[in-house]
Amino acid sequence: MKKLIDMIAEELMQAFEANGYEGKYGMVTLSNRPDLCQYQCNGALAAAKSYKKAPIMIADEVIASVKDSKSFEKIEAILPGFINLTLNTGYIAKYLNEMSREEQYGCEKSAAPKTIVIDYGGPNVAKPLHVGHLRSAVIGESIKRISRFLGHNVIGDVHLGDWGLQMGLIIMELKKRHPDLVYFDENYTGEYPKEAPFTISELEEIYPAANEYSKAHPEFKEEAKNATYMLQNGTRGYAALWNHILNVSVTDLKKNYDNLNVSFDLWKKESDAQTYIPDMIAYLKENNYTRISEGALVVDVKEETDTKEIPPCMILKSDGATLYNTTDLATMVERMKLFHPDAITSIVDKRQELYFETVFRCAKKTKLVGEKVKLTFLGFGTMNGKDGKPFKTRDGGVMRLENLIQGINDEVYKKIMENREMPEEEAKSISRKVGLAALKYGDLSNQASKDYIFDIDRFISFEGNTGPYILYTIVRIKSILNKYREISGGDLNSKGTIVSSTLPGEISLMLEVSKFNDVVEHSYEENAPHKICQYIYDIANAFNSFYHENKIIAQEDKVKQRSWISLITLIQGILETCIYLLGFDAPDRM
Ligand code: ARG
């Protein structure tokens, strides 16, 4: 379905052309004076320069050409040459009726679907998820859903951090604690046990302990380095142990991501990329992309237009070891080989921006990634506490994601249970839904690159620009529709009965709703879920004022009532689709 704004622009473009001007001047934008008009066209001002004519004259000519159009209620030229547009409400109503009948409310799937790999996890093996991983997961899940909604083939990859010294540290710590485990017996040739010799809580305690210990004991660190080397070179017992570590970790991570309504298509690990490294390095050398700098192998990625210092991309350290860069490059090689993507989007803390810039440039310059492939770094800001510093637990530690979520759900639960009774099970389930909406909306309503303050009281409030407010609005609509169904016995399925209106509140509500396809497309193009948040917040506000001004159930004019019911049915569908795109859903009551 065409966007409403484009339909209006087409009419104006034709009008410009009919008067001998270039059509491009007919571009239309949302009005920045909604009190005066709904849309505006500033093209006459621009055309005036090229055609050496007074802008107001051009505007008048254009308006004369569209005066018979049924689309406009009012169209006027304002000095020095603005064209202010107000739509005919019948025209908006017709558009909304069509939206109700269309698949996806008129938001069409792309005619040229792209294959997009999105990297939005980055958790590390044997370490619990913490708030640092929250934003990547929440933003990535939403961008994945939005892209799929528009018909793209999206592959979500968790990109698990499982490479490096941490592996050896955990293995050596286990050996220190349980030297008798069969995994450490070099002469053992039998099968290893299927059960892991530790639980997730042990595992999570082992890594920090090993890390601490290695700082004070250099010989332990050496052993860990050696164990890492042995593991990477196929030592059987270590490999079996490593598999246990992975499995226990991944099971726990999946549970946590599930609670966030976040999922991945791929559970690829940094270690999976390692097999691509030798050939990749040989290729880079053969094609003379590399040089040696102080013993290290690097690729220069500076460009003449740079305004800041861009360091070379290091491929091998002077001791021949690979680094984070090498793994990320090899991961791109792997993704190109396995999926032939049109685009790869990495959703990572914005503090890694320069690093990604270097790696992306290197991938492009060396043609490891084809020219046409779009590499995007979507860097997100920090979630801060009320003190403006990165969010911490009360005693200053790193907050586990699990505990953060539990804390929010508990607060919501208290709130829901204030002055009312509800079965325990239901209250718990509602709290989880509302809690998740509070957390995700609190995050997504900000532009991703900005820092924001985690303010639990504000996030869980049922009023203001919050997730619970949106859910509350949906629940309110559901309850009106239920009541209507009860008293009228009417079926709500007949679509397309929205009629024109003279109520300003209803007209602005209709106008907000009509922007759906435009908003979703922009949020896709700009990787900007916050645009969907803004859209549904505007609708929720417009709906709630409309609701307070009008008695829907008691309305006696049946045509009007039926129109309102159709309108709010459409709104319910759109709000629910939007929160799905953001990654949460609404309860039946709250
Ligand atoms: N595992 C890393 C961390 O916890 C994040 C990985 C980000 N993604 C990437 N492709 N480098 O800091």
Side-chain angles (χ1 to χ4, degrees):
M1 212 174 146
K2 269 190 194 160
K3 295 176 198 154
L4 190 60
I5 192 166
D6 290 345
M7 290 164 58
I8 308 164
E10 263 170 38
E11 287 198 43
L12 285 186
M13 286 178 178
Q14 277 169 15
F16 270 93
E17 279 173 4
N19 288 286
Y21 307 107
E22 265 189 86
K24 64 172 187 198
Y25 295 113
M27 288 272 290
V28 166
T29 56
L30 278 178
S31 157
N32 48 22
R33 284 291 303 274
D35 52 325
L36 297 180
C37 60
Q38 297 164 344
Y39 291 92
Q40 67 188 59
C41 168
N42 303 342
L45 297 163
K49 293 204 183 80
S50 319
Y51 294 91
K52 311 220 178 329
K53 220 173 184 179
I56 194 77
M57 280 172 69
I58 301 178
D60 282 334
E61 287 169 7
V62 167
I63 289 175
S65 299
V66 288
K67 72 174 187 316
D68 294 330
S69 162
K70 297 204 169 45
S71 323
F72 305 107
E73 173 81 33
K74 201 166 92 186
I75 172 161
E76 52 184 355
I78 302 287
L79 279 167
F82 299 107
I83 301 175
N84 284 359
L85 304 155
T86 299
L87 299 181
N88 177 305
T89 35
Y91 181 74
I92 309 177
K94 192 164 155 257
Y95 190 82
L96 296 187
N97 286 326
E98 207 175 318
M99 278 175 78
S100 319
R101 285 188 296 262
E102 284 287 320
E103 228 167 275
Q104 303 201 146
Y105 306 108
C107 183
E108 282 170 31
K109 299 215 183 267
S110 166
K114 296 203 161 72
T115 297
I116 309 168
V117 175
I118 311 186
D119 182 327
Y120 58 101
N124 299 309
V125 162
K127 292 189 212 165
L129 282 183
H130 57 77
V131 295
H133 297 114
L134 175 71
R135 298 210 68 194
S136 184
V138 169
I139 299 167
E141 179 69 26
S142 176
I143 289 180
K144 176 183 77 180
R145 292 179 184 211
I146 295 168
S147 311
R148 280 198 182 141
F149 190 73
L150 292 173
H152 300 291
N153 167 28
V154 187
I155 304 164
D157 182 12
V158 73
H159 196 64
L160 196 60
D162 70 335
W163 197 244
L165 186 60
Q166 52 176 340
M167 308 194 282
L169 283 170
I170 298 168
I171 291 175
M172 287 327 283
E173 180 70 20
L174 277 167
K175 188 170 181 183
K176 178 150 76 66
R177 296 181 185 194
H178 313 286
D180 296 336
L181 283 177
V182 58
Y183 306 91
F184 302 116
D185 177 354
E186 285 161 31
N187 301 318
Y188 185 74
T189 53
E191 276 205 25
Y192 290 106
K194 295 237 167 351
E195 259 326 92
F198 42 73
T199 62
I200 183 68
S201 351
E202 273 174 87
L203 195 56
E204 285 178 356
E205 178 262 320
I206 284 173
Y207 175 73
N211 206 15
E212 262 323 289
Y213 190 79
S214 76
K215 282 183 197 153
H217 300 82
E219 71 291 349
F220 180 79
K221 194 165 182 175
E222 270 317 301
E223 281 173 356
K225 274 191 191 157
N226 188 40
T228 310
Y229 180 84
M230 284 168 68
L231 169 69
Q232 291 172 356
N233 287 283
T235 303
R236 267 184 86 239
Y238 288 5
L241 206 47
W242 186 244
N243 262 323
H244 286 313
I245 298 173
L246 257 182
N247 289 339
V248 170
S249 252
V250 167
T251 309
D252 184 65
L253 285 171
K254 282 193 173 153
K255 192 188 81 197
N256 277 287
Y257 279 122
D258 265 356
N259 286 337
L260 270 179
N261 248 353
V262 169
S263 67
F264 299 94
D265 307 289
L266 293 179
W267 279 78
K268 284 270 180 197
K269 314 178 284 300
E270 290 181 5
S271 62
D272 292 322
Q274 305 306 318
T275 44
Y276 295 87
I277 290 181
D279 283 354
M280 180 179 90
I281 292 181
Y283 163 86
L284 293 177
K285 283 186 180 161
E286 270 161 31
N287 290 282
N288 297 321
Y289 288 121
T290 55
R291 70 176 170 92
I292 303 289
S293 162
E294 295 171 32
L297 189 71
V298 303
V299 174
D300 287 315
V301 295
K302 259 206 297 244
E303 285 164 16
E304 275 184 12
T305 49
D306 286 343
T307 50
K308 59 178 183 215
E309 189 60 36
I310 305 282
C313 183
M314 197 187 286
I315 311 290
L316 290 176
K317 290 199 242 180
S318 53
D319 64 1
T322 60
L323 348 52
Y324 191 41
N325 306 18
T326 332
T327 298
D328 262 317
L329 274 176
T331 303
M332 283 193 253
V333 171
E334 181 187 31
R335 288 175 179 160
M336 291 311 298
K337 178 161 187 259
L338 300 181
F339 312 112
H340 311 288
D342 301 296
I344 303 176
T345 303
S346 301
I347 304 177
V348 183
D349 191 313
K350 75 174 174 203
R351 283 169 289 193
Q352 292 194 29
E353 178 158 19
L354 178 60
Y355 162 75
F356 270 91
E357 173 75 33
T358 321
V359 174
F360 283 177
R361 281 191 186 188
C362 179
K364 285 280 174 168
K365 176 179 176 182
T366 61
K367 305 192 169 63
L368 286 172
V369 169
E371 213 180 323
K372 293 209 181 94
V373 182
K374 189 169 169 210
L375 298 178
T376 306
F377 173 74
L378 181 59
F380 52 80
T382 312
M383 179 173 120
N384 288 325
K386 279 192 185 161
D387 57 359
K389 299 204 182 94
F391 190 79
K392 291 263 156 53
T393 55
R394 221 167 277 165
D395 51 22
V398 179
M399 172 74 96
R400 291 178 66 141
L401 197 49
E402 250 180 293
N403 299 343
L404 180 83
I405 295 175
Q406 193 56 51
I408 297 176
N409 293 353
D410 291 348
E411 289 299 318
V412 174
Y413 179 82
K414 266 193 251 160
K415 201 168 171 136
I416 289 182
M417 294 308 259
E418 269 166 25
N419 330 313
R420 71 122 82 117
E421 304 243 338
M422 193 189 270
E424 182 69 11
E425 262 312 293
E426 190 186 0
K428 282 265 148 70
S429 143
I430 295 177
S431 309
R432 275 196 299 274
K433 285 195 170 159
V434 177
L436 191 63
L439 181 67
K440 286 193 162 187
Y441 192 93
D443 187 306
L444 292 170
S445 53
N446 302 285
Q447 198 179 321
S449 60
K450 299 243 163 78
D451 296 347
Y452 73 95
I453 290 180
F454 177 81
D455 178 347
I456 188 163
D457 299 326
R458 187 171 80 74
F459 284 9
I460 68 170
S461 167
F462 286 18
E463 279 148 42
N465 192 5
T466 70
Y469 172 63
I470 304 291
L471 297 189
Y472 196 78
T473 305
I474 295 175
V475 167
R476 174 174 273 166
I477 296 178
K478 282 187 186 176
S479 112
I480 301 170
L481 291 176
N482 280 338
K483 207 171 273 163
Y484 176 77
R485 214 177 274 123
E486 266 167 39
I487 55 162
S488 71
D491 93 280
L492 293 173
N493 291 329
S494 68
K495 289 179 173 168
T497 47
I498 303 170
V499 298
S500 64
S501 165
T502 50
L503 304 170
E506 186 179 5
I507 297 170
S508 7
L509 176 59
M510 289 163 73
L511 197 64
E512 282 309 332
V513 175
S514 73
K515 295 173 191 159
F516 180 66
N517 52 6
D518 196 22
V519 168
V520 176
E521 278 180 30
H522 275 105
S523 69
Y524 163 74
E525 278 154 19
E526 293 158 39
N527 284 323
H530 73 277
K531 300 215 155 163
I532 294 185
C533 295
Q534 186 59 49
Y535 169 67
I536 56 180
Y537 180 52
D538 289 342
I539 291 184
N541 281 335
F543 165 76
N544 285 308
S545 350
F546 172 76
Y547 170 80
H548 290 299
E549 286 157 13
N550 300 286
K551 300 267 162 293
I552 301 178
I553 294 297
Q555 172 60 246
E556 277 168 12
D557 177 340
K558 289 300 152 194
V559 173
K560 201 175 237 182
Q561 186 185 47
R562 192 66 193 78
S563 174
W564 288 350
I565 292 295
S566 297
L567 178 61
I568 68 172
T569 305
L570 174 62
I571 294 175
Q572 183 199 342
I574 283 188
L575 291 180
E576 287 190 314
T577 304
C578 287
I579 61 172
Y580 169 78
L581 295 177
L582 297 173
F584 54 90
D585 52 20
D588 288 324
R589 60 172 179 154
M590 60 191 267

